[in-house]
Amino acid sequence: MKTDQTTNSVEADAKPSTPEARIHNAIGEGRVGTKARRSRRVRTIIFGLIIFTVALGVRFLSWHDTRRDVWKVQTVVAENYRRVARVLIEGGPGAFLNPASPLGDANTLGHPPGYAILMALLFGVFGESDALIQFVQIACDAFGAVVVFLIVSLLLRRSVGLIAGLLVAFSPQFAWNSVLLLPDTLAVLPILLAVYFLARAYSRPSLVKIIAAGALVGLSCWLRANAMLLAPFMALAIPFLFERGKRLRYAAALVGGALLVIAPLTVRNAIVFGHFIPVSLGAGQTLLEGIADYDAQGRFGIPDTDMGIMKWEAEMYGRPDYYGTLFNPDGVRRERLRLAHGLSVVRSHPFWFSGVMVRRGASMLRLERARLVSASPPVTHSLALVDELQPVWSNSPAEFLSGGALSSPQAKVGVAPDGATFLLAGDDSTYGVQFASAPVSVRKDTDYALVLPAKIEQGRAIINLAGANDNTIYATTIIETVEHKSPEEQPFNMIRMPFVSGSASQIRIVIANGASKPTPPLVRVGAIRLYELGPARNLWTRYPRIILRAVQKLYLTAIMLPLTVIGIILLARARRGRASLILLIVPAYYLCVQSAMHTEYRYVLAVHYFLFVMSALTLSWLGGALWQALMKGPFPRRLRD
């Protein structure tokens, strides 16, 4: 059977003047000799090192910017991973198999144990450190950009692979997620490697490569359960990639490789919990929350949050002990009831649910509005200095209000009778500015920390530190209510906002709405203090940061999605069906399977690694077309030569 992974002689000999030839020229290379292959191998290594270095640098700068803030993302989930890691370190492997150990609690089944096991291995050798696990994630995600380059180099042109690898390297979405204390980007790397081995097997058929691809999918399931059905889904592509006589064997090997890796976890769950649990619990919970996400009228009466699910079950089954945890007591039974309830809604409203899947699938194609690398270096001084220093500026609530001004005619402010706090009632805008303080003088290129006690009694608010003259944002924080607590029960938080003054000589403290509809925000703030920590460091990084930030601003759905669509069309016009199948099988899986469940961007990160390949193909084609136009234009002959 003849495959299309290597460009045939028709592509190599086609005249570049036709549109079809230009497409082929942008996609595939012709066959080369031994000496040329050696030269290509060297270039591949050089390009791979360039991509890895760029990706590593981007992710390190992202970590440098966000290292003080990442703990705020999925705090409870991250702490649960740490807790399981500590139990594994203290109890050893036996704790993992002992029903009487803390790991015998069904609440540990909310996520697969792979991330906690990795934490335990690293912390056991080097000591507990968030930075350590973040650096491992950064390195793995940077290597993922190289794997994308290798996949595309196998199936298309190396130049397309270089662009694709760099698109992944610069991506603010991947950089941001790689520094979070969560396994999401780590779970993508085995999937990328699985596709790489599938592409290698397609190029040179090998049962070992197919088994490796399946095993890597299984490894991903130890980190996140979202890829549970990916191996069978990939097996559906085997008949289109390989000749008769190998198809059934290869499909079985792919699924078998995944099952072989997942099986120890399934057996462990059966030993410890006495039930068949392939990887983890949570499918029923996410199915219900996914239904509730799109049930705007609330006709099904299903809550859309974890806390809501617990409270709902406690009331529905008359079990107050269900409120507070998702999986203990009766975790397996509750999950099966959740699945049954969710599936009953699907069966009774199949067309509505099909529309939900379509809308959710479409949402997966949108890029996350991730935090970009800052144009200025972050604060390097320790915030512990705040406890040792005297403030360089402070305002009581009354002073703060008298010096500033309301920015919305609907907003209202008032000082508490004891003078200790002021209350700001916002308007009903989405992100409208409510109040701005008087200018506060600062030194240029200096590290500062603003400290303020704040309590949000209703809704959601944003506090920005902005330049008084140019409105440049130097620091921002979001405050929102704790779920299922009354306004009186909401906690007062001592917020510390570190920032580098940069070129600013004055700043303002700005309070804005944080998309808190349907209820406007109610914010209570105490006395505000500003501390000077010392001269800013690493100022030289401003220059690469400015360039990087400008590039990352282009990572918008409005830009990337059209490039992706055009790339898919180009592959179709070039009749590269099998290459398209390999490159798009992972996005197709998530669009078909994950769209049935509640979805967050981090669950479907793997989709965009492959969509960037399509964007890279479009950029390569456009670059080639532009170059040919320039060579035919009115330029000096020596320039064209």
Side-chain angles (χ1 to χ4, degrees), residues 79-218:
E79 184 52 39
N80 282 338
Y81 281 124
R82 290 193 201 92
R83 182 176 58 82
V84 173
R86 294 183 194 114
V87 172
L88 289 171
I89 292 171
E90 294 169 3
F96 193 57
L97 299 171
N98 184 1
S101 79
L103 301 186
D105 183 346
N107 280 313
T108 62
L109 286 176
H111 301 90
Y115 192 55
I117 292 172
L118 176 62
M119 278 185 165
L121 292 173
L122 293 173
F123 294 169
V125 175
F126 301 103
E128 185 168 338
S129 167
D130 288 346
L132 176 64
I133 190 70
Q134 287 172 307
F135 289 158
V136 170
Q137 291 175 190
I138 285 171
C140 288
D141 196 51
F143 181 62
V146 178
V147 177
V148 169
F149 162 67
L150 295 175
I151 293 170
V152 181
S153 297
L154 274 173
L155 298 173
L156 308 174
R157 286 182 66 91
R158 193 188 306 102
S159 58
V160 179
L162 178 61
I163 298 171
L166 290 175
L167 285 177
V168 172
F170 281 111
S171 166
Q173 290 81 17
F174 301 152
W176 162 245
N177 280 277
S178 72
V179 302
L180 299 180
L181 295 170
L182 297 168
D184 304 300
T185 54
L186 284 176
V188 173
L189 180 58
I191 293 175
L192 295 175
L193 288 169
V195 175
Y196 171 71
F197 276 102
L198 181 64
R200 288 290 303 271
Y202 165 59
S203 174
R204 293 188 178 183
S206 165
L207 191 63
V208 173
K209 296 172 187 173
I210 294 293
I211 294 173
L216 285 161
V217 171

Side-chain angles (χ1 to χ4, degrees), residues 316-348:
M316 182 167 53
Y317 300 120
R319 292 288 302 270
D321 53 338
Y322 282 3
Y323 185 64
T325 63
L326 281 168
F327 304 112
N328 192 21
D330 304 332
V332 176
R333 175 178 173 271
R334 288 163 68 184
E335 260 299 279
R336 290 175 178 171
L337 289 172
R338 291 167 192 159
L339 272 173
H341 191 90
L343 292 174
S344 69
V345 172
V346 174
R347 286 194 298 270
S348 59

Side-chain angles (χ1 to χ4, degrees), residues 408 410-412 424-429 432 434 458 513 519-523:
S408 168
Q410 288 80 38
K412 298 178 181 179
L424 169 64
D427 60 20
D428 59 357
S429 64
Q434 306 301 298
Q458 174 182 290
N513 281 1
T519 57
L522 287 175
V523 188

